[in-house]
Amino acid sequence: MRQIRAGFFNKNKKEITGWLFAFPWLAGLITFYIYPLISSIFYSFTAFKGITPEKFNGIQNYIDLVHDGIFWISLKNTFVYTVLVVPASLIFGILLAIILNVKSEGQGIYRVITFIPTLVPVVAVSIIWQWLLNSQFGLVNYILYKIGLPGPPWFGSELWAKPSVALISLWTIGTTVLIYLAGLQDIPKDYYEAATIDGSSAFGKVIHITLPLLTPVIFFNIIMGIIAAVQQFTLPFVITNGQGIPANSMMFYSMLLYKNAFQYFKMGAANAMAWIMFVMIMILTLIVQYTSKKWVHYMGE
């Protein structure tokens, strides 16, 4: 028997060693990803409150959410924010990347300055901009007053609340710019030299060479931007102290999910909201993926 075991071990030594090395990763995957994923599906169909035993209630959580006015307000706020921030980060990100890609003195310093805001913790960013955009004594409104422009109420107005959060998000697009820069480095310089010989202007090169060959990177950043925008939580939560004021105009979807889970202890409803968010992101991603066949161009095609 011992000889059989020893023979089996020697024969499968490499496989066993491999599984032993992979075990910590597998244990983490099952514990922190697969189990929470499966259990969240189950809890979304229960009246689980976090402490009391769960009670199966079918699709009642989903029905309650459909009839909850705050749910639709949070959905609308998140949608408006996504529509504002994704195109804006796309335009400003590409513009900044093109500018930073031009060889100049201090090019490295400019790139570092662009990237530094992404290193600041989001909570600190929220507090800093809360002060800068304060409608009464904020620095931004003071500068606008000095140049003769009216200072908007920023976080104090339903109209300006979401654009304010989008503006703060744009301040931290250093990572996006870095990805665009990497994409620009991959475009062969031969194309620009050929365009120069043909008499193309700088603007023409951007339109006919840079943007088409940058579309795979744009596609990636749009997908990541949509996911980040739909999951936006920290900025509005810190700025409004979790209240979503004024008049729920800053009540984002993730904030309502958090409140359902940890303030109202409606864990079942929170899990249902998480799965609705997953479906929303999947639908948006599939739409972008479907349209990408018409506007994403790869080198060599």
Side-chain angles (χ1 to χ4, degrees), residues 1 13 27 30 32 54 64 73 88 99 103 140-141 150 161-162 168 185 204 210 225 260:
M1 191 66 183
K13 189 177 179 181
I30 293 168
F32 298 110
E54 62 273 8
D64 290 344
I73 290 173
I99 292 169
K103 287 186 179 178
V140 174
N141 274 9
K162 286 179 280 295
I168 299 170
Q185 302 295 318
T210 305
N260 272 330

PDB file of all heavy atoms in Angstrom, residues 1 13 27 30 32 54 64 73 88 99 103 140-141 150 161-162 168 185 204 210 225 260:
ATOM      1  N   MET A   1       0.831  -1.220   0.000  1.00  0.00           N
ATOM      2  CA  MET A   1       0.000   0.000   0.000  1.00  0.00           C
ATOM      3  C   MET A   1       0.861   1.264   0.000  1.00  0.00           C
ATOM      4  O   MET A   1       0.580   2.221  -0.712  1.00  0.00           O
ATOM      5  CB  MET A   1      -0.883  -0.041   1.261  1.00  0.00           C
ATOM      6  CG  MET A   1      -1.977   0.997   1.262  1.00  0.00           C
ATOM      7  SD  MET A   1      -3.192   0.695  -0.015  1.00  0.00           S
ATOM      8  CE  MET A   1      -4.233   2.105   0.222  1.00  0.00           C
ATOM      9  N   LYS A  13       3.728  14.284  -8.784  1.00  0.00           N
ATOM     10  CA  LYS A  13       4.393  15.254  -7.917  1.00  0.00           C
ATOM     11  C   LYS A  13       4.215  16.689  -8.414  1.00  0.00           C
ATOM     12  O   LYS A  13       3.899  17.607  -7.647  1.00  0.00           O
ATOM     13  CB  LYS A  13       5.878  14.917  -7.820  1.00  0.00           C
ATOM     14  CG  LYS A  13       6.623  15.719  -6.772  1.00  0.00           C
ATOM     15  CD  LYS A  13       8.061  15.267  -6.690  1.00  0.00           C
ATOM     16  CE  LYS A  13       8.815  16.099  -5.645  1.00  0.00           C
ATOM     17  NZ  LYS A  13      10.237  15.671  -5.580  1.00  0.00           N
ATOM     18  N   ALA A  27      -8.491  29.348  -2.385  1.00  0.00           N
ATOM     19  CA  ALA A  27      -9.242  29.568  -1.141  1.00  0.00           C
ATOM     20  C   ALA A  27      -9.769  31.003  -1.084  1.00  0.00           C
ATOM     21  O   ALA A  27     -10.922  31.246  -0.707  1.00  0.00           O
ATOM     22  CB  ALA A  27      -8.346  29.282   0.058  1.00  0.00           C
ATOM     23  N   ILE A  30     -12.670  31.436  -3.668  1.00  0.00           N
ATOM     24  CA  ILE A  30     -13.932  30.836  -3.214  1.00  0.00           C
ATOM     25  C   ILE A  30     -14.522  31.626  -2.043  1.00  0.00           C
ATOM     26  O   ILE A  30     -15.723  31.908  -2.014  1.00  0.00           O
ATOM     27  CB  ILE A  30     -13.691  29.367  -2.800  1.00  0.00           C
ATOM     28  CG1 ILE A  30     -13.323  28.536  -4.036  1.00  0.00           C
ATOM     29  CG2 ILE A  30     -14.933  28.783  -2.125  1.00  0.00           C
ATOM     30  CD1 ILE A  30     -12.789  27.162  -3.721  1.00  0.00           C
ATOM     31  N   PHE A  32     -13.847  34.884  -0.962  1.00  0.00           N
ATOM     32  CA  PHE A  32     -14.135  36.314  -1.109  1.00  0.00           C
ATOM     33  C   PHE A  32     -14.869  36.681  -2.399  1.00  0.00           C
ATOM     34  O   PHE A  32     -15.291  37.820  -2.556  1.00  0.00           O
ATOM     35  CB  PHE A  32     -12.839  37.114  -1.013  1.00  0.00           C
ATOM     36  CG  PHE A  32     -12.147  36.970   0.318  1.00  0.00           C
ATOM     37  CD1 PHE A  32     -10.954  36.277   0.426  1.00  0.00           C
ATOM     38  CD2 PHE A  32     -12.718  37.497   1.470  1.00  0.00           C
ATOM     39  CE1 PHE A  32     -10.323  36.132   1.651  1.00  0.00           C
ATOM     40  CE2 PHE A  32     -12.098  37.348   2.700  1.00  0.00           C
ATOM     41  CZ  PHE A  32     -10.903  36.658   2.799  1.00  0.00           C
ATOM     42  N   GLU A  54     -32.792  34.532   7.711  1.00  0.00           N
ATOM     43  CA  GLU A  54     -33.390  34.944   6.442  1.00  0.00           C
ATOM     44  C   GLU A  54     -34.714  34.219   6.208  1.00  0.00           C
ATOM     45  O   GLU A  54     -34.895  33.085   6.658  1.00  0.00           O
ATOM     46  CB  GLU A  54     -32.430  34.666   5.286  1.00  0.00           C
ATOM     47  CG  GLU A  54     -32.077  33.206   5.084  1.00  0.00           C
ATOM     48  CD  GLU A  54     -30.909  32.787   5.944  1.00  0.00           C
ATOM     49  OE1 GLU A  54     -30.464  33.570   6.804  1.00  0.00           O
ATOM     50  OE2 GLU A  54     -30.441  31.654   5.760  1.00  0.00           O
ATOM     51  N   ASP A  64     -40.695  45.802  -4.324  1.00  0.00           N
ATOM     52  CA  ASP A  64     -40.629  46.973  -3.424  1.00  0.00           C
ATOM     53  C   ASP A  64     -39.741  48.068  -4.010  1.00  0.00           C
ATOM     54  O   ASP A  64     -40.055  49.257  -3.902  1.00  0.00           O
ATOM     55  CB  ASP A  64     -40.080  46.554  -2.051  1.00  0.00           C
ATOM     56  CG  ASP A  64     -41.073  45.691  -1.289  1.00  0.00           C
ATOM     57  OD1 ASP A  64     -42.267  45.678  -1.667  1.00  0.00           O
ATOM     58  OD2 ASP A  64     -40.641  45.014  -0.340  1.00  0.00           O
ATOM     59  N   ILE A  73     -35.154  57.900  -8.224  1.00  0.00           N
ATOM     60  CA  ILE A  73     -34.364  59.144  -8.164  1.00  0.00           C
ATOM     61  C   ILE A  73     -32.875  58.821  -8.188  1.00  0.00           C
ATOM     62  O   ILE A  73     -32.098  59.457  -8.918  1.00  0.00           O
ATOM     63  CB  ILE A  73     -34.721  59.945  -6.886  1.00  0.00           C
ATOM     64  CG1 ILE A  73     -36.135  60.525  -7.009  1.00  0.00           C
ATOM     65  CG2 ILE A  73     -33.717  61.070  -6.653  1.00  0.00           C
ATOM     66  CD1 ILE A  73     -36.636  61.174  -5.742  1.00  0.00           C
ATOM     67  N   ALA A  88     -17.146  63.581 -20.913  1.00  0.00           N
ATOM     68  CA  ALA A  88     -16.208  64.642 -20.515  1.00  0.00           C
ATOM     69  C   ALA A  88     -14.816  64.072 -20.256  1.00  0.00           C
ATOM     70  O   ALA A  88     -13.803  64.652 -20.691  1.00  0.00           O
ATOM     71  CB  ALA A  88     -16.727  65.356 -19.271  1.00  0.00           C
ATOM     72  N   ILE A  99      -1.583  66.553 -25.705  1.00  0.00           N
ATOM     73  CA  ILE A  99      -0.712  67.666 -25.297  1.00  0.00           C
ATOM     74  C   ILE A  99       0.548  67.136 -24.595  1.00  0.00           C
ATOM     75  O   ILE A  99       1.668  67.567 -24.873  1.00  0.00           O
ATOM     76  CB  ILE A  99      -1.482  68.641 -24.378  1.00  0.00           C
ATOM     77  CG1 ILE A  99      -2.577  69.355 -25.171  1.00  0.00           C
ATOM     78  CG2 ILE A  99      -0.532  69.668 -23.751  1.00  0.00           C
ATOM     79  CD1 ILE A  99      -3.556  70.124 -24.316  1.00  0.00           C
ATOM     80  N   LYS A 103       6.654  66.484 -27.511  1.00  0.00           N
ATOM     81  CA  LYS A 103       7.952  66.624 -26.850  1.00  0.00           C
ATOM     82  C   LYS A 103       8.222  68.091 -26.513  1.00  0.00           C
ATOM     83  O   LYS A 103       8.114  68.964 -27.379  1.00  0.00           O
ATOM     84  CB  LYS A 103       9.064  66.092 -27.752  1.00  0.00           C
ATOM     85  CG  LYS A 103       9.062  64.567 -27.836  1.00  0.00           C
ATOM     86  CD  LYS A 103      10.253  64.049 -28.610  1.00  0.00           C
ATOM     87  CE  LYS A 103      10.223  62.518 -28.633  1.00  0.00           C
ATOM     88  NZ  LYS A 103      11.324  61.958 -29.420  1.00  0.00           N
ATOM     89  N   VAL A 140     -13.046  78.953  -5.605  1.00  0.00           N
ATOM     90  CA  VAL A 140     -13.494  79.003  -7.009  1.00  0.00           C
ATOM     91  C   VAL A 140     -14.466  80.161  -7.217  1.00  0.00           C
ATOM     92  O   VAL A 140     -14.330  80.958  -8.162  1.00  0.00           O
ATOM     93  CB  VAL A 140     -14.135  77.666  -7.428  1.00  0.00           C
ATOM     94  CG1 VAL A 140     -14.729  77.761  -8.838  1.00  0.00           C
ATOM     95  CG2 VAL A 140     -13.106  76.537  -7.365  1.00  0.00           C
ATOM     96  N   ASN A 141     -15.443  80.274  -6.333  1.00  0.00           N
ATOM     97  CA  ASN A 141     -16.407  81.378  -6.463  1.00  0.00           C
ATOM     98  C   ASN A 141     -15.747  82.736  -6.231  1.00  0.00           C
ATOM     99  O   ASN A 141     -16.164  83.748  -6.821  1.00  0.00           O
ATOM    100  CB  ASN A 141     -17.562  81.188  -5.469  1.00  0.00           C
ATOM    101  CG  ASN A 141     -18.639  80.293  -6.045  1.00  0.00           C
ATOM    102  OD1 ASN A 141     -18.443  79.691  -7.098  1.00  0.00           O
ATOM    103  ND2 ASN A 141     -19.768  80.190  -5.358  1.00  0.00           N
ATOM    104  N   PRO A 150     -20.706  85.346 -12.098  1.00  0.00           N
ATOM    105  CA  PRO A 150     -21.473  84.899 -10.918  1.00  0.00           C
ATOM    106  C   PRO A 150     -21.039  83.501 -10.503  1.00  0.00           C
ATOM    107  O   PRO A 150     -20.835  82.619 -11.342  1.00  0.00           O
ATOM    108  CB  PRO A 150     -22.920  84.905 -11.428  1.00  0.00           C
ATOM    109  CG  PRO A 150     -22.805  84.708 -12.898  1.00  0.00           C
ATOM    110  CD  PRO A 150     -21.520  85.366 -13.327  1.00  0.00           C
ATOM    111  N   ALA A 161     -25.530  70.282  -8.553  1.00  0.00           N
ATOM    112  CA  ALA A 161     -24.943  69.250  -7.681  1.00  0.00           C
ATOM    113  C   ALA A 161     -24.187  68.182  -8.479  1.00  0.00           C
ATOM    114  O   ALA A 161     -23.004  67.896  -8.202  1.00  0.00           O
ATOM    115  CB  ALA A 161     -26.038  68.618  -6.836  1.00  0.00           C
ATOM    116  N   LYS A 162     -24.853  67.605  -9.468  1.00  0.00           N
ATOM    117  CA  LYS A 162     -24.205  66.515 -10.217  1.00  0.00           C
ATOM    118  C   LYS A 162     -23.059  67.013 -11.109  1.00  0.00           C
ATOM    119  O   LYS A 162     -22.001  66.356 -11.179  1.00  0.00           O
ATOM    120  CB  LYS A 162     -25.252  65.732 -11.020  1.00  0.00           C
ATOM    121  CG  LYS A 162     -26.110  64.850 -10.132  1.00  0.00           C
ATOM    122  CD  LYS A 162     -27.144  64.106 -10.895  1.00  0.00           C
ATOM    123  CE  LYS A 162     -28.336  64.942 -11.212  1.00  0.00           C
ATOM    124  NZ  LYS A 162     -29.112  65.381 -10.049  1.00  0.00           N
ATOM    125  N   ILE A 168     -15.294  67.307 -10.145  1.00  0.00           N
ATOM    126  CA  ILE A 168     -14.283  66.749  -9.230  1.00  0.00           C
ATOM    127  C   ILE A 168     -13.707  65.456  -9.810  1.00  0.00           C
ATOM    128  O   ILE A 168     -12.502  65.202  -9.720  1.00  0.00           O
ATOM    129  CB  ILE A 168     -14.901  66.490  -7.845  1.00  0.00           C
ATOM    130  CG1 ILE A 168     -15.406  67.791  -7.239  1.00  0.00           C
ATOM    131  CG2 ILE A 168     -13.882  65.856  -6.914  1.00  0.00           C
ATOM    132  CD1 ILE A 168     -16.231  67.607  -5.987  1.00  0.00           C
ATOM    133  N   GLN A 185       1.669  56.096 -27.738  1.00  0.00           N
ATOM    134  CA  GLN A 185       3.037  55.612 -27.973  1.00  0.00           C
ATOM    135  C   GLN A 185       3.051  54.436 -28.940  1.00  0.00           C
ATOM    136  O   GLN A 185       4.073  54.176 -29.595  1.00  0.00           O
ATOM    137  CB  GLN A 185       3.677  55.166 -26.641  1.00  0.00           C
ATOM    138  CG  GLN A 185       3.744  56.232 -25.572  1.00  0.00           C
ATOM    139  CD  GLN A 185       4.656  57.386 -25.940  1.00  0.00           C
ATOM    140  OE1 GLN A 185       5.719  57.156 -26.477  1.00  0.00           O
ATOM    141  NE2 GLN A 185       4.224  58.594 -25.662  1.00  0.00           N
ATOM    142  N   GLY A 204      -5.388  67.562 -39.084  1.00  0.00           N
ATOM    143  CA  GLY A 204      -5.726  66.445 -39.977  1.00  0.00           C
ATOM    144  C   GLY A 204      -5.111  65.138 -39.497  1.00  0.00           C
ATOM    145  O   GLY A 204      -5.738  64.078 -39.580  1.00  0.00           O
ATOM    146  N   THR A 210      -4.509  59.729 -35.468  1.00  0.00           N
ATOM    147  CA  THR A 210      -4.484  59.516 -34.014  1.00  0.00           C
ATOM    148  C   THR A 210      -5.791  58.913 -33.494  1.00  0.00           C
ATOM    149  O   THR A 210      -5.776  57.854 -32.843  1.00  0.00           O
ATOM    150  CB  THR A 210      -4.206  60.848 -33.284  1.00  0.00           C
ATOM    151  OG1 THR A 210      -2.995  61.408 -33.794  1.00  0.00           O
ATOM    152  CG2 THR A 210      -4.051  60.624 -31.800  1.00  0.00           C
ATOM    153  N   GLY A 225     -14.989  53.584 -17.645  1.00  0.00           N
ATOM    154  CA  GLY A 225     -15.626  54.818 -17.173  1.00  0.00           C
ATOM    155  C   GLY A 225     -17.075  54.581 -16.785  1.00  0.00           C
ATOM    156  O   GLY A 225     -17.556  55.104 -15.768  1.00  0.00           O
ATOM    157  N   ASN A 260     -29.581  51.085   2.427  1.00  0.00           N
ATOM    158  CA  ASN A 260     -30.463  49.935   2.623  1.00  0.00           C
ATOM    159  C   ASN A 260     -29.771  48.841   3.430  1.00  0.00           C
ATOM    160  O   ASN A 260     -30.389  48.202   4.281  1.00  0.00           O
ATOM    161  CB  ASN A 260     -30.908  49.371   1.263  1.00  0.00           C
ATOM    162  CG  ASN A 260     -32.162  50.049   0.752  1.00  0.00           C
ATOM    163  OD1 ASN A 260     -33.005  50.497   1.537  1.00  0.00           O
ATOM    164  ND2 ASN A 260     -32.300  50.160  -0.551  1.00  0.00           N
TER     165      ASN A 260
END
